[in-house]
Amino acid sequence: RGARLLAAVLLASASGFTPRATTTSASISASSGRRRRTSMSMGVSRRDAMGTLGAGVASASVGAGASTAAAAEPVTRDYSASPAQLAADVARDLKNPVVVSPDASNSEWLAGSSPYAVVPSPKELNPALDALDPQRTVETIAKGGGQVVFLGEHHDSGEDHRLQAALIEQLRAAAAPGVPMAVGLEAIQQKFQPVLDAYLAGKISEAELEEGVEWGKRWFWPFKNYAPIFQACKRLNIGLVALNVNSETLSKVEVGGYPALTKEELSSYITDPRGFGAFSGSTAFKEYVEYIVRPSYVQHEELGILKTTITGQQLDENMPFKNFLSGRLLWDEAMAEQAASWVTKNPTGLFVGLIGNDHVKFGCGVPGRCARILQGGPKLTIDEAAAQKRAVTSIMINPTPFETTTRSQRATSQVGLKDGGSKQPPGMTLQLRFAQDPSAGATQGAAVQGGDSLRDIEVASSLKQAAAGSSVLPLADILWYSAGRD
């Protein structure tokens, strides 16, 4: 009965609306001093995007969103006299040319990488991109205390995993001696935690680890790309945590929704049912679902894979959206809960979660949920939450504009091809607006969803979906580009 009630709350709160979006062009500016920044000239839109920089290379940014990142001072190169060089450098990062040797050490690999942080713009709708110094950013995160960092990845990219391994190694080196550290993996389902423990204890080999977690059956992506991460954790005495929902449980949800689970099964993944339900009822979350989750469902439908569950069970009809959504949210909540649980047991520690970029972006995936769980959900006041000083940082590794745009936006970017025009990718969406900024007056057009902006902003903030007082969901806290390709 409890599971059915929770399912009803979730599905009622996730009923649809369609976001409107407009792509706008970008301009380049540079502020004084050593900060470099790209700024966007924005129109009236709920999807705030940067256009293109350089020769057909779409620009990118991130956002300091629901889980505010530890602030690393953006002081790398001096662009005050050369905004054109700024555009060239951003374009270079997105193209990812090789700038260090493939045989370089992790410290060299990290030094050649390019992290950026976003400055969201709820009022002017003009979010900006700041460059960060890689080593200084690592040090800031490592010495913050009680930190959770989610590194969004492309599962099949050796390049992404190389940067993850470099970041893990450098975070361990930058952290104070004796500070506990763990790495959580979406790639490993929770039932296989004993296998991870045995590997770290030296009881099984790397090959036995791969076999023991049923990698080929449950994850599919090349194990060799993740091997440097396992090796680094074992060498540096860093814990390993299995994050993902067991396939058997997720398959039940895909067939019958949450009512298909026993109370014990549901509570093993969702320890904060009230917060879980409230998280799914906000205007910000509805915007997120319609922009991120529903298009994914449509894509799965067109690929003809909605008649098969994650365990291979065949369905008579396509999996309904409510079950698809339920599975996605259980997935996110379970990973957030695992991270939060480790930090609660190790309050001075550093937890690094390796999860897909899709689970990181726009705040309402794993990072926002983890921040909500750590800070007690909506029952805490803002002051009480801030007093706990627990920071959750979201990082997307090597994101592309196509990961943040809808099909209609991508189609618009190809207009003119039949007339001999050149194809250019769309601008990257930097933030989703879920409410009008109360101080912006009429400049932002019609109210989002026609709701109560003040209330919507307050609720999103209390649930850790957005920063306090903000009406936007930024893409992430940091966007980090690799030094080069495999």
Side-chain angles (χ1 to χ4, degrees):
R1 182 177 181 182
R4 292 188 178 90
L5 178 60
L6 181 57
V9 171
L10 172 64
L11 297 176
S13 66
S15 58
F17 69 93
T18 303
R20 300 180 297 278
T22 304
T23 301
T24 59
S25 61
S27 61
I28 303 299
S29 65
S31 57
S32 60
R34 299 185 63 201
R35 167 173 290 189
R36 59 173 171 165
R37 171 177 293 187
T38 57
S39 63
M40 284 59 68
S41 175
M42 303 306 302
V44 177
S45 172
R46 287 161 56 189
R47 183 187 71 88
D48 304 336
M50 183 187 287
T52 59
L53 290 176
V57 179
S59 64
S61 180
V62 297
S67 44
T68 304
E73 186 181 355
V75 288
T76 49
R77 287 158 263 176
D78 186 353
Y79 288 89
S80 58
S82 182
Q85 185 60 44
L86 168 60
D89 280 0
V90 175
R92 179 212 67 195
D93 293 339
L94 290 174
K95 288 180 178 177
N96 278 331
V98 175
V99 295
V100 296
S101 166
D103 298 324
S105 67
N106 279 342
S107 60
E108 292 172 322
W109 192 266
L110 181 67
S113 67
S114 300
Y116 295 90
V118 91
V119 179
S121 182
K123 183 177 180 180
E124 294 83 6
L125 303 183
N126 190 33
L129 178 70
D130 279 348
L132 302 175
D133 175 77
Q135 188 59 41
R136 185 171 298 182
T137 303
V138 165
E139 292 171 357
T140 301
I141 293 173
K143 296 177 181 178
Q147 297 277 323
V148 181
V149 183
F150 290 105
L151 302 180
E153 66 182 42
H154 302 91
H155 301 313
D156 61 344
S157 172
E159 179 184 330
D160 288 15
H161 299 308
R162 175 70 189 273
L163 181 55
Q164 287 176 330
L167 285 167
I168 290 167
E169 181 178 290
Q170 295 304 305
L171 284 167
R172 176 68 278 176
V179 169
M181 183 173 171
V183 170
L185 297 106
E186 180 188 5
I188 309 295
Q189 296 176 12
Q190 293 181 21
K191 66 187 296 182
F192 298 115
Q193 183 62 49
V195 181
L196 294 179
D197 296 339
Y199 170 75
L200 291 178
K203 297 179 180 179
I204 62 174
S205 67
E206 191 173 295
E208 291 171 318
L209 166 67
E210 180 181 2
E211 180 180 0
V213 299
E214 300 181 9
W215 188 279
K217 177 182 177 181
R218 294 175 183 261
W219 191 240
F220 317 114
W221 310 109
F223 180 84
K224 67 177 183 179
N225 290 342
Y226 289 81
I229 295 167
F230 290 117
Q231 294 162 6
C233 290
K234 187 173 184 179
R235 182 177 70 254
L236 299 172
N237 195 29
I238 297 172
L240 288 168
V241 179
L243 294 183
N244 212 340
V245 176
N246 298 331
S247 294
E248 295 83 358
T249 304
L250 188 57
S251 183
K252 290 181 182 181
V253 175
E254 291 176 336
V255 173
Y258 296 139
L261 301 181
T262 65
K263 181 179 179 180
E264 290 73 23
E265 287 175 313
L266 195 60
S267 62
S268 68
Y269 295 108
I270 301 175
T271 61
D272 175 28
R274 179 174 296 182
F276 178 72
F279 197 92
S280 305
S282 71
T283 297
F285 181 80
K286 294 174 185 177
E287 179 78 19
Y288 168 84
V289 167
E290 293 303 319
Y291 194 84
I292 300 299
V293 184
R294 194 175 293 275
S296 177
Y297 176 82
V298 172
Q299 185 179 29
H300 280 69
E301 185 176 34
E302 293 176 348
L303 290 172
I305 55 178
L306 286 178
K307 289 186 178 181
T308 306
T309 71
I310 194 170
T311 59
Q313 180 180 347
Q314 295 299 308
L315 307 177
D316 294 332
E317 298 179 347
N318 280 341
M319 185 188 310
F321 177 70
K322 64 180 182 179
N323 291 357
F324 181 88
L325 175 63
S326 296
R328 170 65 177 267
L329 303 191
L330 181 65
W331 197 324
D332 284 352
E333 184 79 5
M335 292 196 291
E337 167 59 33
Q338 285 289 87
S341 176
W342 187 91
V343 172
T344 300
K345 296 173 184 175
N346 301 273
T348 63
L350 174 62
F351 185 93
V352 181
L354 309 184
I355 62 179
N357 267 335
D358 213 40
H359 296 282
V360 171
K361 58 193 179 186
F362 297 117
C364 289
V366 180
R369 292 176 179 278
C370 182
R372 185 207 83 230
I373 295 169
L374 282 174
Q375 300 190 3
K379 293 181 287 184
L380 289 183
T381 67
I382 292 177
D383 289 340
E384 289 171 336
Q388 295 188 18
K389 296 181 180 179
R390 285 176 172 154
V392 179
T393 302
S394 59
I395 299 176
M396 292 181 69
I397 293 178
N398 297 322
T400 66
F402 288 96
E403 294 176 70
T404 71
T405 54
T406 65
R407 176 180 301 177
S408 62
Q409 292 152 13
R410 294 194 290 271
T412 300
S413 74
Q414 300 179 37
V415 172
L417 286 178
K418 294 181 180 179
D419 300 323
S422 61
K423 179 180 178 180
Q424 292 190 355
M428 179 171 280
T429 302
L430 305 180
Q431 59 187 35
L432 297 179
R433 184 162 61 91
F434 62 88
Q436 283 183 296
D437 187 281
S439 63
T443 61
Q444 289 186 315
V448 177
Q449 288 210 75
D452 182 336
S453 292
L454 289 174
R455 175 60 179 165
D456 291 341
I457 291 171
E458 179 184 356
V459 169
S461 174
S462 71
L463 294 169
K464 314 313 296 179
Q465 294 167 337
S470 178
S471 58
V472 299
L473 299 175
L475 179 60
D477 293 313
I478 298 173
L479 179 147
W480 209 309
Y481 285 96
S482 294
R485 294 190 181 279
D486 289 334

